[in-house]
Amino acid sequence: MLQGLGNVLKKSIEKISSAIFVDKTLVESIIKDLQRALIMADVNIQLVKELSEKIRKEGEKYVKNVEKKEHLIKLLHDEIQNIIGNEKKELILGKKDTILFVGLYGVGKSTTIAKIAAWYKKRGKNVALLGLDVHRPAASEQLEQLGKKVDVAVFIDKDEKKAIKIYEKYKKQLEKYDLVLIDSAGRDALEESLIKEIKDISSKINPTHTILVIAADIGQAARNQAQAFKEACNVDGVIITRMDSSAKAGGALTACNEANAPVYFIGTGEKIQDIEPFNPQTFVSRLLGMGDLESLIEKVKSATDEKKQKETLKRLEEGKFTLADFYDQINSMQSMGPLSKITELIPGFGKAKIPEELLDTQGEKLKHWKHAINSMTKEEIESPELLEKQTSRISRIAKGSGTSTNEIRQLIKQYKLIKEMASGAGSLGDISDPSQLSQKQMMKLAKKFGKKKLMKFK
Ligand SMILES: Nc1nc2c(ncn2[C@@H]2O[C@H](COP(=O)(O)OP(=O)(O)O)[C@@H](O)[C@H]2O)c(=O)[nH]1
Ligand SMILES: [Mg+2]
């Protein structure tokens, strides 16, 4: 879920950690990727603009500052957290609760009720369902089947057309349950008659909680819907369904945050167990691809050895950069951990779609490059130009390291790109201390190398 945004965020973190230093171009490229992903996820454009501005403004502070990479990542994290929500708001139940579920047709209301029933039954509650969706003939039958599936009591009346009458009929019997979940009628669109009906039911039943169910598909339109339902009937929280199958989940989540409508749960599939409490903090951490921010920052810190980075730069400048230095760079990238494993942490991710293969091959590629370098002679490592002059060496290394000649050529290409950068940087004067690089020098560098990224492992 939110795969696109998640992948962009993970790539941004990789970009930051593998960059030799944080510069304006890096910050801009991250903002650009992020903007595209947020808009794809249907996040409000104004919100995207504000977030970009904050990252640009704050990010500037870290430019030219090798040791501040972790701050840039924290900034990225905090801004995303801000638009998704900062605090977890739980659905708090007492001894006896009645929850009225409201929402439009087809959003997954009945399914969600069954999921919630199973969730609380497992946690020791004696649960009953009450079907008040009187407009659609099949609605009560569906609820009955769902109730059977999760093994809880269901109260319906297929012939009664007045919702409130059904409620009155079963009121007494329902008293013996700890938790009564009420399925109300929906409509195709938010309209006067629906609001009136919900208002009526709500005032007569006086539920302890009212939960609005929306489908992630509506994206940022969730904001108006949440506001309208809140005005009509004291909605205290939201459940967003189809987080697994909609690309607009980012819009829905951020819109609920804007409307001050806490998200209690998210639906992540069609099965009964496909529901989870929504915790904005763990959600964002998973989106960024890490268990939590602290460990992420630790990883970035250990992956970026400032002293080593400076040495690398110096060697680059002096034209002494060899494959051994390149090997160190690969190592620092790899200490970020295998990205394929990280995707497993994302709820619904594994189930919904195949994890992006790119992330895997990227890790694989680095591994192969390391193997290849390990199979080289000292002479080859020091002067990789030899490999281009005598291509038989490439075949030998490929055989010895279990890699392909193609991979080795790619490795040499990448290495040369960095060396090329070195000669350009050299002509700019002393860059042994990257924090001393002037804006002008950086512009010159950026121009010289155009769109080529210094460490672009793609
Ligand atoms: N992929 C996915 N489908 C869901 C989810 N929740 C509900 N659905 C599906 O949405 C459709 C409508 O559900 P239903 O409960 O009948 O909606 P209602 O009209 O609001 O009561 C059904 O096919 C459900 O299986 C979810 O979290 N993920
Ligand atoms: Mg229904």
Side-chain angles (χ1 to χ4, degrees), residues 103-112 115 133 136 142 146 183 213 240-245 266-271 274:
L104 303 185
Y105 274 157
V107 293
K109 203 152 29 100
S110 307
T111 315
T112 302
K115 288 176 178 179
D133 184 353
R136 283 191 298 185
Q142 187 203 8
L146 284 166
D183 192 9
V213 182
I240 304 179
T241 64
R242 296 205 202 115
M243 286 293 288
D244 55 304
S245 56
I266 49 176
T268 56
E270 296 194 72
K271 297 210 185 69
D274 294 336

Side-chain angles (χ1 to χ4, degrees), residues 356-375:
E356 223 200 284
E357 272 169 17
L358 188 89
L359 299 179
D360 271 341
T361 47
Q362 198 165 350
E364 277 306 296
K365 190 193 271 178
L366 296 186
K367 223 193 274 167
H368 285 185
W369 283 358
K370 277 175 75 171
H371 289 162
I373 297 174
N374 280 329
S375 287

Side-chain angles (χ1 to χ4, degrees), residues 93-375:
L93 297 185
K95 263 200 136 101
K96 273 194 188 298
D97 287 271
T98 308
I99 306 179
L100 177 63
F101 288 81
V102 297
L104 303 185
Y105 274 157
V107 293
K109 203 152 29 100
S110 307
T111 315
T112 302
I113 288 173
K115 288 176 178 179
I116 292 289
W119 175 273
Y120 282 109
K121 187 179 178 233
K122 232 188 236 164
R123 283 154 182 80
K125 295 270 184 193
N126 192 9
V127 188
L129 310 185
L130 175 64
L132 300 189
D133 184 353
V134 287
H135 301 306
R136 283 191 298 185
S140 17
E141 239 154 73
Q142 187 203 8
L143 197 69
E144 194 173 30
Q145 280 165 12
L146 284 166
K148 257 192 204 142
K149 203 164 161 185
V150 300
D151 193 23
V152 299
V154 182
F155 295 87
I156 49 166
D157 186 335
K158 289 173 190 162
D159 304 317
E160 181 55 65
K161 288 289 163 229
K162 284 218 165 73
I164 208 66
K165 285 234 167 100
I166 305 178
Y167 171 68
E168 278 158 2
K169 179 175 170 187
Y170 295 120
K171 197 171 174 221
K172 197 98 206 112
Q173 293 178 63
L174 289 169
E175 276 168 14
K176 63 174 206 247
Y177 293 90
D178 309 325
L179 181 60
V180 178
L181 307 177
I182 305 176
D183 192 9
S184 69
R187 291 285 191 285
D188 284 326
L190 195 60
E191 54 184 67
E192 210 52 37
S193 63
L194 172 66
I195 293 291
K196 191 182 170 306
E197 183 173 345
I198 302 264
K199 254 186 184 160
D200 253 21
I201 291 178
S202 174
S203 68
K204 296 223 169 77
I205 297 177
N206 197 19
T208 47
H209 293 281
T210 302
I211 294 181
L212 170 66
V213 182
I214 55 171
D217 321 16
I218 64 167
Q220 56 179 301
R223 185 171 147 181
N224 285 346
Q225 217 176 91
Q227 272 161 351
F229 275 98
K230 260 172 102 173
E231 275 165 32
C233 57
N234 290 323
V235 166
D236 56 271
V238 174
I239 295 180
I240 304 179
T241 64
R242 296 205 202 115
M243 286 293 288
D244 55 304
S245 56
S246 170
K248 293 187 173 182
L253 279 174
T254 50
C256 287
N257 185 39
E258 279 188 287
N260 259 325
V263 179
Y264 288 149
F265 287 90
I266 49 176
T268 56
E270 296 194 72
K271 297 210 185 69
I272 295 298
Q273 68 272 20
D274 294 336
I275 188 156
E276 54 183 83
F278 181 66
N279 180 342
Q281 310 227 309
T282 46
F283 186 84
V284 170
S285 299
R286 284 166 173 185
L287 209 54
L288 283 154
M290 296 289 156
D292 61 71
L293 184 64
E294 303 313 309
S295 64
L296 166 63
I297 285 183
E298 264 324 296
K299 276 189 180 159
V300 175
K301 261 189 189 158
S302 59
T304 39
D305 181 335
E306 192 197 342
K307 208 171 137 216
K308 216 166 197 168
Q309 296 280 25
K310 284 190 182 173
E311 274 169 20
T312 305
L313 267 173
K314 203 166 155 65
R315 293 174 70 76
L316 266 168
E317 181 218 335
E318 290 166 356
K320 284 185 197 149
F321 188 80
T322 69
L323 274 174
D325 300 300
F326 190 60
Y327 189 92
D328 283 344
Q329 288 290 328
I330 297 176
N331 264 340
S332 89
M333 277 205 72
Q334 279 193 323
S335 57
M336 289 289 289
L339 286 156
S340 58
K341 208 167 159 199
I342 287 154
T343 57
E344 286 165 22
L345 287 169
I346 302 169
F349 196 106
K351 264 176 296 170
K353 264 156 217 148
I354 313 142
E356 223 200 284
E357 272 169 17
L358 188 89
L359 299 179
D360 271 341
T361 47
Q362 198 165 350
E364 277 306 296
K365 190 193 271 178
L366 296 186
K367 223 193 274 167
H368 285 185
W369 283 358
K370 277 175 75 171
H371 289 162
I373 297 174
N374 280 329
S375 287

Side-chain angles (χ1 to χ4, degrees), residues 52-66:
S52 308
E53 259 331 292
K54 276 191 207 152
I55 295 180
R56 183 171 290 126
K57 218 168 130 215
E58 286 294 307
E60 290 269 300
K61 293 185 190 162
Y62 309 132
V63 166
K64 299 188 267 175
N65 224 334
V66 180

